[in-house]
Amino acid sequence: MSPKKKIEVAELSQLVANVASESKCSLVVDVGAGQGYLSRVLAYSSTGLPVLAVDSSPKQQRGAESMQRRTIKRLQGPRAAANGFKWDSERAARLEHTVMHVSLDNASQLAEAAHATAPDARWMMCGLHACGDLSSAVLKAFAESDATAVVLVPCCYNHISETSQEGSVVGFPLSLGMHGTWLGQNALKTACQATSRWDASPEATLAAFRRNYFRSLLHFLMVAQNQIASDGVAPAVGKVTNTELQAALAEIPADAIAHSSADEQDFAVYVLAALTKLDHAWRPTAEQCIACYREHGGAGLRQIAAAWTLKSLAGPLIECMVVVDRALYLAEHCTAAGRVRAFALFDPVTSPRNVVLVAQRT
């Protein structure tokens, strides 16, 4: 695990254990379990909670099971014993893995899986950085089942659905209290911005502004060269890796960029790498890219940085709207004796998606 993941797993596992104890749950369903980091801590720590780890990917399940075997081997070894850890054979049976594609349309299968695993158990759900609509599906499963509690750290607001066919379920809004609210994809993407990191990582922040500028300038160049309409959708490039940039640089003749600045060269390389990533047939010359950069240069970068900053400042407000909607939804489906909480669990600089939703019916 990365240092970031270790902190997240340690803090969330303690919260889940506390909620499970308060709610008298004897089974935890970990949704979007991935490699099973959280699941193993819950199952093999001193709390020893039985866990059903759910993930949609067979590859992730195989990786989690392989890591589980290695973890058990270490826990049975002399170093663990020297640290006072006592292994018993029952611990191995506390963690089961299953492959299940969970969506808003089939969230009820989580309850079915829980009942099949432990028919008479009080059970709860948890999730660490469940992506987009998966978080909404977990909350929907809680609302429509007999689950006693849920502890969820959502992630990837930009993957939340808002529009669908008549009668189908969407990821936002969930609550009656925010019925009719619409944010749009641009706003949901803005909610993902990690402005809390800007002061802590100024170099990375400037690099991010530069990537956004390159993306915008590529859009401008494609419109100028009649590759897309001026009112068309901007190319969704995503992250361009260093490997992709190196491959693009190798394709550009050295003499084509010999008399250009480092920034101009970087933009020409970015354009080729981005178009290759998009699988777009059009390829401008390095000279065209350099001329485009020279025309707009540093002024364009400053404008993008200013616009991006203003936009990002609205991110926490939009995130708050999503969190409030989900908290209201949970409150609408809790018992009178239940309670719903939403609070920051992690350091926002280390883990920008740090809000946890907790609902307990009793």
Side-chain angles (χ1 to χ4, degrees):
M1 277 190 285
S2 67
K4 171 180 176 290
K5 180 70 75 173
K6 285 181 180 179
I7 294 171
E8 293 169 346
V9 167
E11 295 188 6
L12 185 59
S13 62
Q14 186 59 59
L15 177 60
V16 172
N18 292 342
V19 171
S21 176
E22 293 172 4
S23 301
K24 298 180 174 58
C25 293
S26 54
L27 174 67
V28 177
V29 179
D30 182 10
V31 188
Q35 291 289 303
Y37 298 120
L38 177 62
S39 301
R40 284 191 297 278
V41 172
L42 290 170
Y44 299 151
S45 65
S46 58
T47 54
L49 288 165
V51 178
L52 176 62
V54 176
D55 200 89
S56 63
S57 168
K59 183 178 180 180
Q60 290 280 48
Q61 182 201 26
R62 290 192 296 270
E65 290 177 333
S66 175
M67 199 170 294
Q68 180 181 351
R69 290 190 291 269
R70 295 197 298 272
T71 300
I72 290 175
K73 187 175 181 179
R74 287 196 297 270
L75 292 175
Q76 291 174 327
R79 180 175 295 180
N83 290 329
F85 186 85
K86 294 182 180 180
W87 176 263
D88 62 77
S89 57
E90 292 182 359
R91 288 182 184 270
R94 290 176 184 166
L95 176 55
E96 295 182 34
H97 298 269
T98 188
V99 175
M100 183 188 302
H101 179 71
V102 179
S103 70
L104 287 162
D105 295 323
N106 66 8
S108 61
Q109 65 179 327
L110 287 171
E112 295 170 5
H115 294 152
T117 303
D120 300 320
R122 289 169 64 90
W123 65 287
M124 64 174 289
M125 289 175 285
C126 72
L128 174 57
H129 289 151
C131 180
D133 274 350
L134 179 58
S135 288
S136 302
V138 171
L139 301 180
K140 184 171 183 283
F142 172 79
E144 298 177 354
S145 72
D146 61 348
T148 305
V150 61
V151 177
L152 181 70
V153 179
C155 190
C156 304
Y157 300 123
N158 55 309
H159 293 308
I160 295 175
S161 62
E162 288 190 278
T163 57
S164 64
Q165 296 179 351
E166 186 71 25
S168 60
V169 184
V170 295
F172 178 89
L174 291 172
S175 68
L176 295 174
M178 295 190 70
H179 178 71
T181 304
W182 187 85
L183 292 172
Q185 275 298 299
N186 282 335
L188 290 170
K189 289 178 181 177
T190 300
C192 297
Q193 298 307 310
T195 54
S196 55
R197 287 181 166 179
W198 289 7
D199 284 341
S201 306
E203 292 184 4
T205 300
L206 291 174
F209 284 155
R210 192 166 181 260
R211 286 193 301 271
N212 288 326
Y213 176 52
F214 279 6
R215 225 174 355 247
S216 300
L217 202 54
L218 170 60
H219 185 196
F220 176 86
L221 181 60
M222 293 180 76
V223 170
Q225 296 296 321
N226 298 315
Q227 297 303 311
I228 54 176
S230 59
D231 58 352
V233 178
V237 179
K239 182 178 180 179
V240 178
T241 66
N242 289 332
T243 301
E244 291 166 337
L245 292 171
Q246 289 296 325
L249 177 61
E251 293 185 31
I252 298 177
D255 58 347
I257 55 176
H259 303 292
S260 56
S261 69
D263 286 340
E264 293 165 353
Q265 293 177 20
D266 287 347
F267 177 64
V269 171
Y270 174 85
V271 168
L272 180 56
L275 291 172
T276 302
K277 191 179 186 74
L278 292 169
D279 198 24
H280 200 289
W282 175 67
R283 294 291 187 276
T285 65
E287 289 81 3
Q288 285 176 305
C289 297
I290 291 168
C292 180
Y293 192 91
R294 283 177 179 169
E295 181 180 353
H296 300 281
L301 175 56
R302 289 190 293 273
Q303 291 167 357
I304 288 294
W308 192 263
T309 299
L310 291 172
K311 177 182 177 181
S312 298
L313 290 175
L317 175 61
I318 298 166
E319 181 179 20
C320 185
M321 292 178 68
V322 176
V323 171
V324 168
D325 171 60
R326 290 172 166 180
L328 286 172
Y329 179 70
L330 290 171
E332 290 165 2
H333 292 86
C334 263
T335 60
R339 63 170 177 161
V340 175
R341 293 173 285 163
F343 56 92
L345 182 62
F346 311 132
D347 179 350
V349 174
T350 305
S351 306
R353 301 284 74 78
N354 67 334
V355 174
V356 63
L357 289 156
V358 181
Q360 296 168 263
R361 284 199 163 107
T362 54

